[in-house]
């Protein structure tokens, strides 16, 4: 039997690289107001070892870091210049392959959220080891933890993502001026944007938005007109008519989006010619035409993979971080060019962090709590939010003896802070994040 999601994907495959559901014709005119806000997720697939992304550099912590991490510890010469937490004055440094991010932290456009992860409720080491409190489902599993980060439901499966539930709220309140879906992925179909009542859009960066096989010639246009006529003919079969309607609307709306993008001037900001660079460039271009699309709230999804570093971690980071750092910086520069830096917040997610103790192959294994980055003009940057774990194997923050940090901030709190800024009111946050009531602090304060 064809499910609703399968049905949508069937229609999606026929419209170039665009996965669209029938969301109606886009308005010709829309107002570009100061209330526009966008969230941009950059998912680091594979489990980014954030222990080597941001490092405390005070004497005690750096000595413990160097001693325990051994073969994968970064030397002081492999780190950025020391930076001080604006709130505490404590010294930190970024991986030397992330110079743009270190600079953005220094200029207070970027913040670090420490030791975030999947939780059902606050959890101590004693509770975890005795199994005396709810434990997230299938910890240390890539697919399960990717799903948990995208749904925020740590105790089991969820058919919807947290951004999809936020999109549902935006749609029910008619906040956008068109029915164009609020969630837009440039990294394939992902659960994060699936709502109960809304369906995400997926597009391949740089790909054609138009239906393949047609051009401007008279013969081609005649065929295109015939196709549209066929799609509007009653077939008497409800499934076929629903598919025809979906395809017809997708064609119309793909054309509308293509026209909106085609009418925009080229961005002056130069983006790296990398996968993540081109994804973020596409996001910037869509944000540029948000008024023409009638959008006041949008959520975007990008990704960079390859972070499953069981071996050769430093070499892998030396390839991946130089892709991530300039791409994020270019995107922030583009929001400044568009005079929308205050309206766009970019944030990272990843499956999990990795063991503080290295493997025999100069890598690290699957772990739990990780540090995440938040970037934008509204970010109260230059600060570390939350608490770094104690660098001690078998210590108070370790699940065992390998440095798998028990999170002290939940995905729910992280996402709720982003969503509050985005415009989800306190009364609706529990629908977007079902476990949020289990935590005493719903807003971490990193967004103004």
């Amino acid at each position: 039997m064809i499910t609703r999601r399968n049905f949508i994907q069937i229609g999606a495959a026929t419209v170039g690289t665009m996965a669209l559901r029938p969301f109606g014709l886009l308005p010709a005119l829309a107002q570009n107001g100061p209330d526009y806000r966008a969230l941009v997720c950059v998912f680091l697939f594979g489990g980014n070892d954030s222990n080597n992304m941001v490092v405390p550099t005070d004497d005690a912590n750096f000595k413990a870091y160097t001693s325990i991490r051994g073969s994968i510890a970064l030397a002081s010469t492999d780190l950025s210049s020391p930076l001080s937490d604006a709130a505490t004055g404590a010294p930190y440094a970024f991986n030397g392959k992330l110079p743009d991010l270190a600079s953005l932290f220094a200029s207070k456009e970027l913040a670090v959220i420490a030791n975030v992860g999947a939780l059902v409720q606050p959890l101590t080491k004693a509770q975890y080891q005795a199994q005396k409190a709810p434990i997230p489902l299938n910890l240390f599993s890539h697919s399960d933890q990717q799903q948990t980060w995208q749904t925020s439901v740590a105790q089991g499966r969820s058919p919807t993502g947290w951004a999809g539930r936020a999109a549902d709220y935006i749609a029910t309140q008619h906040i956008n001026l068109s029915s164009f879906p609020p969630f837009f992925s440039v990294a394939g179909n992902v659960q994060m944007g699936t709502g109960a009542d809304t369906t995400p859009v997926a597009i391949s960066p740089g790909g054609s938005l138009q239906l393949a096989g047609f051009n401007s010639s008279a013969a081609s246009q005649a065929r295109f007109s015939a196709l549209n006529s066929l799609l509007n003919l009653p077939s008497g079969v409800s499934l076929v008519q629903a598919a025809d309607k979906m395809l017809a609307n997708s064609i119309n709306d793909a054309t509308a989006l293509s026209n909106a993008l085609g009418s925009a001037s080229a961005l002056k900001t130069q983006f790296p010619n990398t996968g993540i660079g081109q994804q973020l460039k596409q996001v910037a271009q869509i944000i540029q035409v948000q008024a023409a699309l009638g959008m006041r709230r949008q959520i975007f999804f990008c990704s960079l993979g390859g972070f499953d570093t069981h071996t050769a971690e430093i070499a892998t980071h030396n390839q991946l971080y130089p892709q991530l750092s300039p791409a994020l910086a270019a995107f922030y520069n583009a929001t400044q060019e568009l005079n929308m830096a205050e309206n766009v917040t970019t944030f990272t997610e990843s499956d999990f962090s990795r063991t503080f103790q290295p493997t025999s192959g100069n890598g690290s294994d699957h772990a739990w709590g990780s540090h995440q980055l938040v970037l934008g003009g509204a970010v109260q940057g230059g600060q570390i939010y939350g608490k770094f774990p104690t660098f001690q194997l078998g210590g108070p923050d370790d699940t065992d003896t390998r440095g798998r940090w028990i999170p002290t901030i939940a995905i729910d709190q992280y996402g709720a802070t982003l969503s509050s800024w985005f415009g989800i009111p306190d009364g609706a946050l529990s629908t977007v994040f079902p476990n949020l009531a289990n935590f005493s602090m719903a807003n971490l304060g990193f967004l103004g």
Side-chain angles (χ1 to χ4, degrees):
M1 180 176 292
I2 298 176
T3 66
R4 178 173 178 271
R5 182 176 297 177
N6 296 146
F7 191 37
I8 290 165
Q9 289 173 344
I10 290 169
T14 63
V15 189
T17 59
M18 203 168 184
L20 293 169
R21 60 102 167 143
F23 45 80
L25 292 177
L26 302 175
L29 296 173
Q31 296 300 312
N32 183 12
D35 64 339
Y36 174 80
R37 292 194 174 184
L39 291 172
V40 181
C41 176
V42 177
F43 204 104
L44 307 178
F45 279 105
N48 172 43
D49 189 350
S50 59
N51 294 303
N52 270 16
M53 183 173 70
V54 183
V55 180
T57 55
D58 61 279
D59 290 343
N61 273 312
F62 194 67
K63 182 178 180 181
Y65 164 84
T66 302
S67 174
I68 297 171
R69 298 234 85 186
S71 62
I72 60 172
L74 298 171
S76 58
T77 53
D78 297 323
L79 296 169
S80 70
S81 299
L83 299 163
S84 296
D85 181 339
T88 66
Y92 294 85
F94 280 77
N95 190 301
K97 300 298 183 180
L98 299 169
D100 311 276
L101 302 188
S103 177
L104 287 163
F105 183 90
S107 58
K108 297 184 171 55
E109 279 93 18
L110 182 143
V112 175
I113 318 303
N115 202 16
V116 190
L119 290 170
V120 180
Q121 65 183 48
L123 191 66
T124 66
K125 177 177 180 174
Q127 289 173 325
Y128 172 81
Q129 292 187 335
Q131 303 286 289
K132 294 295 186 182
I135 308 296
L137 179 69
N138 294 337
L139 285 172
F140 322 130
S141 156
H142 283 295
S143 60
D144 292 289
Q145 295 313 299
Q146 289 167 10
Q147 182 180 66
T148 298
W149 269 96
Q150 293 184 44
T151 67
S152 86
V153 180
Q155 66 268 42
R157 307 299 183 188
S158 171
T160 59
W162 70 257
R165 296 190 292 272
D168 285 344
Y169 175 83
I170 297 301
T172 59
Q173 300 302 306
H174 306 290
I175 292 172
N176 288 331
L177 302 179
S178 77
S179 54
F180 192 100
F183 186 91
F184 205 115
S185 172
V186 290
N189 293 315
V190 291
Q191 188 172 6
M192 186 175 177
T194 300
D197 301 307
T198 58
T199 304
V201 176
I203 182 175
S204 178
S208 172
L209 304 181
Q210 300 299 320
L211 192 65
F214 296 94
N215 55 46
S216 59
S217 70
S220 181
Q221 288 303 301
R223 287 191 295 111
F224 186 74
S225 178
L227 172 63
N228 280 301
S229 297
L230 288 172
L231 292 175
N232 287 297
L233 284 176
S235 67
V237 181
S238 58
L239 184 62
V240 172
Q241 286 198 200
D244 287 348
K245 181 179 179 181
M246 181 175 294
L247 179 54
N249 282 328
S250 296
I251 291 171
N252 290 335
D253 294 322
T255 300
L257 179 57
S258 180
N259 290 341
L261 292 172
S263 66
S265 58
L267 290 169
K268 296 178 182 178
T269 301
Q270 296 297 307
F271 282 81
N273 190 25
T274 59
I276 186 62
Q278 293 306 297
Q279 288 176 43
L280 286 166
K281 180 180 179 180
Q282 183 74 83
V283 171
Q285 291 169 333
I286 296 170
I287 289 174
Q288 184 182 14
V289 299
Q290 50 81 25
L293 297 176
M295 305 306 288
R296 288 177 173 166
R297 295 291 185 275
Q298 289 183 283
I299 307 174
F300 297 90
F301 186 92
C302 310
S303 73
L304 177 62
F307 287 92
D308 193 17
T309 50
H310 289 282
T311 60
E313 178 174 304
I314 290 179
T316 302
H317 279 184
N318 287 349
Q319 293 179 345
L320 295 175
Y321 282 167
Q323 297 178 50
L324 179 66
S325 183
L328 287 174
F331 181 70
Y332 180 70
N333 291 340
T335 64
Q336 288 184 308
E337 177 187 340
L338 296 171
N339 197 29
M340 299 187 74
E342 296 284 339
N343 306 84
V344 181
T345 296
T346 306
F347 63 98
T348 63
E349 292 187 352
S350 190
D351 318 16
F352 34 62
S353 192
R354 308 189 73 85
T355 55
F356 205 58
Q357 183 186 59
T359 65
S360 59
N362 299 325
S364 53
D365 290 328
H366 302 178
W368 193 353
S370 61
H371 314 315
Q372 303 298 336
L373 307 175
V374 185
L375 168 66
V379 174
Q380 306 298 301
Q383 296 185 49
I384 309 291
Y385 290 81
K387 177 181 176 292
F388 266 62
T390 301
F391 289 170
Q392 177 186 346
L393 300 184
D397 300 310
D398 192 357
T399 62
D400 45 39
T401 59
R402 295 208 58 201
R404 290 185 169 99
W405 312 131
I406 299 171
T408 46
I409 292 176
I411 296 170
D412 308 70
Q413 296 169 286
Y414 181 56
T417 306
L418 293 162
S419 296
S420 292
W421 172 86
F422 184 64
I424 307 297
D426 292 348
L429 283 174
S430 60
T431 301
V432 179
F433 301 97
N435 293 326
L436 185 61
N438 297 337
F439 303 93
S440 59
M441 183 182 294
N443 195 313
L444 303 174
F446 56 78
L447 282 164

